[in-house]
């Protein structure tokens, strides 16, 4: 008996080592990654699509969709939040450009295309402008409207009348731009700490153009900033005043201050935004 125990203890470390070496990547359940090209260019992106529980069983159901930029950064918080607060939605995360210049990606990071895709004006610094190509939000918006929507709504059971956008920081700036330039793109806008500083002159002019055309925004807007974002918050307040001054009865606006800085306020922003959205969608149902 003693000899058997000795053998067990001798082999136990090797058995544990074998088990520990059996590793595999974690995947969020019911999530798939789809490659998609911007038909205006050769830019390649990926869509991270998460389907709700029971999706395959509900053949006649049409689901609201939450679209969001910075997909890698935001998928986990939105997946967790909707899992508990808003189960019957489809999540569609839009990646950064995949076939970006390799040298630029290595120097700056895999997220470098967000500087181009989410910004609305060009840089006054010629060197920076040549490097990052700021100010192509309109082209990225066309990609979403013409290619992303077409793919998602042709292949999944969606409700095109109930699209939501979530964006944070530069992604929030992109959403603020879309709301004024093409408000019918989404029904609901979740804008976390939108980086509108430096862009308010452009956004104000854009808003004035929309007013001259008597365009109703017909949207629900959640907009937030961190309690410690003193400088950014003043610009966000200016953007909010711009929206309020439209006196647009088709616009529903919810402003929230999240405890924390630009970085630390993000997780709660995702949770609070989804909570607010869940009430909207459930009230509609």
């Amino acid at each position: 008996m003693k000899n058997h125990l000795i053998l067990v203890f001798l082999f136990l470390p090797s058995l544990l080592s074998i088990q520990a070496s059996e590793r595999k990547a974690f995947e969020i359940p019911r999530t798939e990654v789809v490659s998609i090209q911007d038909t205006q260019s050769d830019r390649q992106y990926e869509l991270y699509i998460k389907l709700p529980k029971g999706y395959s069983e509900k053949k006649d159901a049409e689901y609201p969709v939450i679209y969001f930029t910075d997909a890698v950064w935001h998928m986990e918080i939105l997946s967790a939040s909707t899992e508990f607060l808003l189960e019957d939605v489809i999540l569609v995360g839009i990646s950064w450009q995949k076939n970006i210049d390799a040298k630029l990606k290595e120097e700056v990071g895999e997220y470098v295309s967000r500087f181009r895709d989410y910004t609305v004006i060009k840089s006054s610094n010629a060197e920076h402008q040549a490097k990052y190509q700021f100010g192509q939000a309109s082209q990225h918006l066309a990609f979403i409207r013409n290619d992303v929507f077409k793919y998602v709504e042709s292949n999944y059971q969606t409700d095109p009348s109930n699209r939501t956008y979530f964006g944070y920081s530069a992604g929030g700036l992109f959403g603020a731009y879309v709301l004024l330039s093409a408000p019918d793109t989404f029904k609901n806008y979740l804008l976390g700490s939108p980086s509108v500083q430096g862009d308010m002159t452009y956004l104000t002019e854009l808003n004035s153009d929309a007013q001259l055309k008597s365009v109703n925004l017909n949207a629900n807007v959640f907009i937030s900033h961190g309690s410690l974002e003193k400088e950014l918050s003043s610009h966000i307040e200016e953007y909010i005043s711009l929206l309020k001054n439209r006196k647009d009865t088709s616009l529903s606006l919810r402003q929230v201050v999240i405890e924390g800085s630009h970085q630390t306020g993000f997780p709660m922003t995702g949770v609070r935004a989804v909570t607010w959205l869940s009430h909207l969608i459930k009230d509609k149902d």
Side-chain angles (χ1 to χ4, degrees):
M1 179 66 177
K2 187 182 293 185
N3 290 338
H4 289 331
L5 288 175
I6 292 173
L7 288 172
V8 168
F9 283 113
L10 285 173
F11 284 107
L12 185 58
S14 61
L15 290 172
L16 292 176
S17 177
I18 292 172
Q19 290 178 340
S21 66
E22 294 176 353
R23 302 172 183 172
K24 61 179 181 179
F26 172 75
E27 297 179 356
I28 296 177
R30 308 185 307 280
T31 302
E32 51 200 36
V33 179
V34 176
S35 295
I36 187 169
Q37 181 177 337
D38 182 345
T39 54
Q40 306 168 101
S41 67
D42 63 349
R43 296 171 187 171
Q44 295 285 340
Y45 295 83
E46 289 179 340
L47 303 180
Y48 300 174
I49 302 172
K50 181 183 179 184
L51 302 175
K53 291 180 182 177
Y55 173 84
S56 60
E57 301 165 7
K58 300 176 182 178
K59 303 297 184 183
D60 298 325
E62 291 186 341
Y63 295 90
V65 181
I66 302 177
Y67 294 88
F68 53 100
T69 42
D70 293 317
V72 170
W73 291 342
H74 299 343
M75 174 56 97
E76 290 176 321
I77 192 70
L78 294 179
S79 173
S81 300
T82 53
E83 193 75 18
F84 288 93
L85 298 171
L86 194 56
E87 296 179 8
D88 291 331
V89 297
I90 296 174
L91 296 180
V92 178
I94 305 167
S95 78
W96 307 304
Q97 184 184 344
K98 304 302 293 184
N99 59 337
I100 199 80
D101 178 76
K103 184 178 180 181
L104 189 59
K105 184 188 292 187
E106 182 178 356
E107 178 186 348
V108 181
E110 61 178 345
Y111 51 81
V112 64
S113 64
R114 72 194 302 268
F115 300 143
R116 177 198 65 213
D117 289 345
Y118 307 165
T119 55
V120 297
I121 59 176
K122 295 181 178 180
S123 173
S124 58
N125 184 309
E127 182 179 348
H128 288 176
Q129 181 59 34
K131 182 175 183 178
Y132 297 109
Q133 300 181 317
F134 291 104
Q136 295 191 32
S138 61
Q139 183 168 333
H140 199 58
L141 173 58
F143 162 61
I144 292 173
R145 289 177 65 98
N146 299 333
D147 301 318
V148 175
F149 287 170
K150 180 179 180 180
Y151 177 82
V152 172
E153 293 171 4
S154 297
N155 290 279
Y156 300 91
Q157 299 165 210
T158 70
D159 178 3
S161 69
N162 202 356
R163 304 182 191 126
T164 296
Y165 173 78
F166 176 88
Y168 193 81
S169 191
L173 166 63
F174 178 73
Y177 159 75
V178 175
L179 175 62
L180 294 179
S181 63
D184 64 332
T185 305
F186 302 98
K187 178 62 179 175
N188 311 303
Y189 290 78
L190 313 179
L191 311 178
S193 295
S195 299
V196 293
Q197 69 272 32
D199 299 283
M200 282 309 305
T201 299
Y202 176 87
L203 292 172
T204 300
E205 293 173 353
L206 187 61
N207 182 63
S208 297
D209 289 343
Q211 284 182 314
L212 289 174
K213 296 175 183 176
S214 300
V215 173
N216 289 326
L217 298 181
N218 192 28
N220 304 305
V221 180
F222 173 100
I223 186 167
S224 68
H225 62 78
S227 59
L228 301 179
E229 297 185 274
K230 301 302 182 183
E231 182 178 353
L232 177 58
S233 65
S234 64
H235 298 288
I236 294 175
E237 291 287 351
E238 186 179 352
Y239 180 78
I240 290 172
S241 295
L242 180 150
L243 294 177
K244 288 181 176 178
N245 289 338
R246 294 175 65 96
K247 301 188 184 304
D248 183 350
T249 58
S250 72
L251 173 67
S252 173
L253 182 62
R254 171 65 169 162
Q255 180 182 2
V256 175
V257 177
I258 305 292
E259 184 177 352
S261 65
H262 196 70
Q263 285 73 31
T264 63
F266 167 69
M268 187 55 68
T269 298
V271 175
R272 293 284 293 274
V274 171
T275 301
W276 177 81
L277 180 64
S278 70
H279 294 308
L280 276 183
I281 292 179
K282 289 175 181 177
D283 289 346
K284 179 181 177 182
D285 295 340

